[in-house]
Amino acid sequence: MSRKLRVAFHEGVISQFAGYEVLAELDWDAYRACYGDIRRLDRILEAEGDRGNRYRASKQADVLMLGYLFSPSELRQVFARLGYEPDDALWTRTVDYYLRRTSHGSTLSGLVHGWVLARARGADAWTYVAEVLAGDVADVQGGTTQEGIHLGAMAGTLDLVQRGLTGLETRNGALWLDPVPCPQLSEYGFSLRYRGHVGITVRVRAKDLRISAPASQRSPIDIRLPTTTLSLARGETCSLPPHER
């Protein structure tokens, strides 16, 4: 099935479903001017006797969930396997298209869009990271915090920093890193376990990316970055300036 799925397109972007383009466009500016916060656009439309299913409008990430599940390079491989040959700008156009048509009526929406933008537009991701962090503290949903915290969004924010902002992946026998420039975070770091190495540390700063491997009897670790490939031996620390990432 995964090799025979049909994907619909319209206006040079990935369609949410076949026929999506016949839905009406919503006047987003008019609704923001009238209501201010339109996160719960679905409730606003219902109160007006309307329904969201008539419009090209999403409460949270739908098509853009692809960018949460797959990096742009992985997504190109998936499309190629399905027999499609999209141009390099397809995903960027798709992100911009649906970003303009999403109300973010779920605390998970900011999390997913943060991931997508970390992979597609770098530092633009921080706006959504900050929103997810403030989700329960500021009760951005307007009354939901008293009913319980959004644990999935909270845990997802940590994952976004660890994997989304660092570009951390494990594939083809190597540890891949592609840090996103994020001026709002002067420095951050974490430890991970990889191929039996317990306590590999990754620290990202504006001036360098530092990776340390613990002392052990394990084989060296292959590290791959966009412009650099290196082998990190046990007990070794490697520091890379920004231009070598």
Side-chain angles (χ1 to χ4, degrees), residues 115-130:
W115 263 91
V116 170
L117 291 177
R119 287 170 159 173
R121 288 217 301 262
D124 288 352
W126 182 254
T127 299
Y128 293 97
V129 176

Side-chain angles (χ1 to χ4, degrees), residues 16-34:
Q16 184 165 322
F17 50 81
Y20 178 86
E21 68 278 7
V22 305
L23 297 178
E25 285 281 19
L26 184 76
D27 190 341
W28 292 88
D29 291 337
Y31 272 87
R32 288 192 177 95
C34 181

Side-chain angles (χ1 to χ4, degrees), residues 45 64 79 91 112 119 149-150 160 164 183 213 222 224 228 243:
L45 291 173
L64 296 192
F79 275 103
W91 183 241
V112 174
R119 287 170 159 173
I149 61 172
H150 297 83
L160 171 57
D222 288 331
R224 298 190 185 181
T228 306
H243 67 273

Side-chain angles (χ1 to χ4, degrees), residues 29-128:
D29 291 337
Y31 272 87
R32 288 192 177 95
C34 181
Y35 294 98
D37 187 346
I38 60 169
R39 283 187 178 90
R40 294 314 306 265
L41 180 66
D42 53 335
R43 294 177 179 174
I44 293 172
L45 291 173
E46 288 173 6
E48 294 182 345
D50 205 346
R51 56 192 178 88
N53 289 342
R54 292 203 312 115
Y55 301 98
R56 303 186 199 184
S58 299
K59 175 183 175 182
Q60 55 192 341
D62 290 313
V63 174
L64 296 192
M65 274 298 295
L66 286 169
Y68 182 82
L69 299 171
F70 304 104
S71 67
S73 61
E74 290 173 318
L75 201 54
R76 284 194 293 271
Q77 293 173 8
V78 170
F79 275 103
R81 195 175 70 182
L82 291 171
Y84 296 99
E85 297 181 1
D87 61 78
D88 292 340
L90 171 68
W91 183 241
T92 301
R93 290 195 305 269
T94 300
V95 170
D96 291 339
Y97 183 89
Y98 288 102
L99 200 58
R100 294 193 299 269
R101 293 167 173 81
T102 305
S103 66
H104 305 292
S106 162
T107 53
L108 292 174
S109 184
L111 170 63
V112 174
H113 283 82
W115 263 91
V116 170
L117 291 177
R119 287 170 159 173
R121 288 217 301 262
D124 288 352
W126 182 254
T127 299
Y128 293 97

Side-chain angles (χ1 to χ4, degrees), residues 166 177 188-192 200-204 209-212:
T166 62
L177 290 161
Y188 62 95
F190 54 89
S191 298
L192 58 90
I200 299 171
T201 60
V202 177
R203 184 157 295 278
V204 181
L209 165 67
R210 181 168 296 183
I211 311 165
S212 299

